[in-house]
Amino acid sequence: MALLAALWKLKPILSESSEIQEILKSDFGDDFYWGVATAAYQIEGASDIDGKGESVWDRFTSKKSHIKDQSNGKIAIDFYNRYESDLKLLKNLNFKNFRFSFSWSRILPDGTGKINEKGIDFYNRMIDTCLELGIEPWTVLYHWDLPQVLEDKGGWTNREIINWFSEYTDLCTRRFGDRIRHWMVLNEPASFTTLGYLSGIHAPDRTGIHKFLASVHHANLCQSEGGRIIRRNVKNSHIGTALSCSYTEPHKMTGSYQRAAQRLDVVLNRLFIEPSLGMGYPVQHLPVLEKLERYIQPQDIENLKFDFDFIGIQNYFRVVAKPSIIPYIRANRVKPQDSAEVTAMGWEVSPEGIYEIIKQFAKYPIKEIIVTENGAAFPDQLINQRIHDQQRIDFYKRYLQNVLKAKNEGINVTGYFAWTFIDNFEWAEGFRTRYGIVYNDFETQERTIKDSGYWFRDFLK
Ligand code: BGC
């Protein structure tokens, strides 16, 4: 499925130039949430200590060829041991919100059943440290690291996952719900179902249209069920889910290109929001979704709905679409022009895309939109203990001014989380691509604030 991998990693052709304007924190209002986002497997390390079970990412990275630099998250950035000093650093950068995810296999090493109290203790210590520092914890229940034992039973393709996930969610909300108000159910279900179950370039390395479709439907059911469990168990909760999204436009204004753009739009942007709003699956624009029928049980249509308090949108680039021979989706991205500004991921910098996608989501009956991830990897250089990452600062300014534009037009955008705090393990890319506003030396684990970190510190003052 190299073509599909390409679909995910290539970037659109049109280059955008949005002038950089100075923005102020006060432009966004006093109640706006400013935070950084992280994920368990990318930062924690301690992958097999204190009773943690194996996750699909532990297994996937054990095959070195899966990761571009042959690395893994065994140690990652050792957040498990360094959370205290890292959170103090975050406070010094003036962020008031910290987003992390729970590692399911640290809490339930067998996926279900026996609870690992040492894992629970770690999250208790970490959450308490946040609160002592005046940092609000925001959590994501699932950021891609399924317990391997559950994957061995079919993982997201097995409908039983609704029960497994409910047990896990119930446990987390009971143990941590007294101190955490902000919960997100899933991180980017469109990414983990396509990359993990269709193209196989992420864990658990499974491929095939039916594996993909089954995992899509079960992830949608878990998304709504997770929301219901949080609402039941956590008082005064603020519940969301975090969706990847990319504004998608046709390369040419002709029928076949427009239909290709519609098909990509379904996969990238519509597959996990519309079922939750009671709109069902957008079969009309992506006919292969008719095959979902075999997984849908009568009560499911009702169960797919959940009234989220907010929708997290995670945006990095926009997509310019063309027809292609990729099976089922029959669409692909157009490669960018050589002159386009791209990140170290090869993704085109397209700040106006975030404005367009916020506008697109705002057409749905959503109460609140929060940008739960946005950021960029650039080839940073540590010189005399400084990292002059002006390109990243400009990236943030340009994307933020587009977020502000949407907000000023009356869209209820209430927060922004930068991806990410400290350079970390970037999935199949390994440690090669640095996204942090803080630099990490992966040998010594020494943290160095980048210029972008100082920029945020001053901006948020
Ligand atoms: C994911 C992060 C990832 C980031 C940058 C998002 O898709 O949620 O885990 O590191 O993008 O690629």
Side-chain angles (χ1 to χ4, degrees):
M1 278 286 192
L3 274 174
L4 204 97
L7 181 151
W8 227 254
K9 292 292 171 192
L10 291 179
K11 57 277 167 187
I13 199 169
L14 301 178
S15 134
E16 291 178 81
S17 59
S18 57
E19 294 287 306
I20 300 178
Q21 294 154 14
E22 283 315 313
I23 44 168
L24 298 171
K25 183 189 171 203
S26 57
D27 296 337
F28 292 80
D30 291 343
D31 300 335
F32 200 79
Y33 304 111
W34 292 98
V36 293
T38 66
Y41 189 75
Q42 296 181 272
I43 63 169
E44 284 179 2
S47 69
D48 57 1
I49 72 156
D50 286 346
K52 182 183 164 296
E54 189 188 21
S55 80
V56 290
W57 273 91
D58 295 314
R59 178 70 63 89
F60 184 74
T61 53
S62 67
K63 191 169 170 195
K64 289 193 165 166
S65 59
H66 279 154
I67 309 299
K68 291 202 179 134
D69 63 0
Q70 311 198 334
S71 63
N72 57 55
K74 272 191 181 139
I75 299 173
I77 64 164
D78 196 28
F79 183 74
Y80 190 79
N81 294 308
R82 292 166 198 264
Y83 67 91
E84 225 176 315
S85 49
D86 285 342
L87 290 169
K88 283 184 185 152
L89 176 60
L90 187 66
K91 186 183 167 68
N92 288 338
L93 295 182
N94 293 324
F95 283 96
K96 295 243 163 40
N97 299 281
F98 176 61
R99 173 188 152 180
F100 65 96
S101 71
F102 291 121
S103 155
W104 186 340
S105 60
R106 192 180 293 292
I107 292 176
L108 290 167
D110 304 326
T112 58
K114 192 187 82 207
I115 300 167
N116 179 30
E117 291 297 339
K118 285 192 173 166
I120 300 262
D121 286 349
F122 163 67
Y123 292 112
N124 277 333
R125 290 194 302 274
M126 197 261 282
I127 293 164
D128 291 345
T129 305
C130 283
L131 296 174
E132 279 156 25
L133 291 168
I135 293 172
E136 190 80 10
W138 293 60
T139 196
V140 176
L141 283 160
Y142 185 76
H143 199 130
W144 305 357
D145 47 351
L146 190 72
Q148 182 63 42
V149 280
L150 299 183
E151 181 52 38
D152 294 341
K153 295 180 188 160
W156 287 96
T157 66
N158 185 341
R159 196 178 163 97
E160 266 299 293
I161 195 150
I162 304 164
N163 294 327
W164 306 331
F165 187 71
S166 298
E167 179 182 332
Y168 164 63
T169 302
D170 187 66
L171 176 64
C172 290
T173 47
R174 284 179 194 283
R175 293 298 189 94
F176 308 115
D178 55 336
R179 284 152 298 152
I180 300 182
R181 206 190 137 223
H182 311 279
W183 293 77
M184 282 164 266
V185 183
L186 299 179
N187 179 73
E188 299 196 355
S191 301
F192 74 73
T193 53
T194 47
L195 299 172
Y197 290 89
L198 181 61
S199 67
I201 58 175
H202 273 190
D205 185 18
R206 298 177 74 193
T207 52
I209 193 69
H210 274 286
K211 295 202 179 75
F212 169 64
L213 292 173
S215 64
V216 164
H217 187 53
H218 301 147
N220 262 309
L221 285 165
C222 286
Q223 186 172 256
S224 50
E225 191 55 25
R228 281 186 283 275
I229 295 170
I230 301 167
R231 191 151 286 154
R232 198 167 61 226
N233 290 352
V234 182
K235 273 196 220 127
N236 194 26
S237 53
H238 185 222
I239 311 172
T241 195
L243 304 179
S244 48
C245 52
S246 289
Y247 182 65
T248 303
E249 54 197 312
H251 182 45
K252 292 181 189 163
M253 293 310 277
T254 60
S256 63
Y257 282 79
Q258 286 166 324
R259 285 189 295 277
Q262 274 176 340
R263 290 192 293 276
L264 272 190
D265 187 40
V266 169
V267 180
L268 298 171
N269 303 319
R270 300 175 56 191
L271 212 41
F272 291 90
I273 182 68
E274 296 192 4
S276 79
L277 295 169
M279 298 165 71
Y281 287 104
V283 176
Q284 194 198 345
H285 292 135
L286 187 65
V288 68
L289 297 181
E290 281 163 13
K291 294 182 194 291
L292 273 168
E293 216 168 285
R294 78 157 81 160
Y295 305 103
I296 301 180
Q297 297 185 4
Q299 71 283 8
D300 287 0
I301 297 301
E302 196 52 34
N303 285 344
L304 285 169
K305 293 188 215 163
F306 182 72
D307 183 21
F308 283 103
D309 298 316
F310 70 92
I311 293 297
I313 68 169
Q314 323 212 131
N315 174 257
Y316 291 86
F317 50 84
R318 70 174 171 172
V319 167
V320 177
K322 63 174 182 185
S324 95
I325 54 161
I326 290 182
Y328 304 112
I329 298 168
R330 294 182 295 110
N332 203 349
R333 293 178 179 174
V334 176
K335 281 190 191 174
Q337 289 166 333
D338 290 343
S339 59
E341 183 188 351
V342 294
T343 69
M345 298 290 278
W347 295 344
E348 187 190 20
V349 176
S350 41
E352 281 123 29
I354 200 167
Y355 165 76
E356 295 294 346
I357 197 70
I358 291 174
K359 276 209 327 193
Q360 181 173 327
F361 270 70
K363 290 191 185 128
Y364 293 122
I366 291 174
K367 294 179 197 154
E368 195 183 327
I369 290 176
I370 299 181
V371 177
T372 43
E373 275 188 32
N374 173 234
F378 290 116
D380 297 316
Q381 280 187 307
L382 179 67
I383 301 167
N384 298 330
Q385 290 311 299
R386 288 298 296 260
I387 297 97
H388 297 303
D389 58 339
Q390 188 59 42
Q391 211 178 352
R392 186 174 287 106
I393 297 174
D394 292 346
F395 178 99
Y396 277 119
K397 283 185 182 171
R398 289 158 77 195
Y399 275 73
L400 276 170
Q401 83 199 25
N402 278 283
V403 173
L404 183 60
K405 183 173 162 199
K407 188 170 165 57
N408 285 343
E409 286 176 13
I411 297 174
N412 194 26
V413 188
T414 60
Y416 179 94
F417 286 72
W419 185 273
T420 185
F421 177 24
I422 303 170
D423 295 335
N424 61 33
F425 179 77
E426 177 55 31
W427 309 115
E429 303 292 317
F431 293 110
R432 302 182 332 158
T433 44
R434 293 176 177 272
Y435 272 94
I437 55 171
V438 173
Y439 182 92
N440 192 46
D441 180 324
F442 296 111
E443 296 294 317
T444 62
Q445 299 294 352
E446 193 185 338
R447 322 303 201 209
T448 306
I449 302 171
K450 300 181 191 177
D451 283 2
S452 56
Y454 289 117
W455 180 81
F456 267 112
R457 183 195 63 182
D458 296 343
F459 174 77
L460 296 175
K461 214 179 257 172

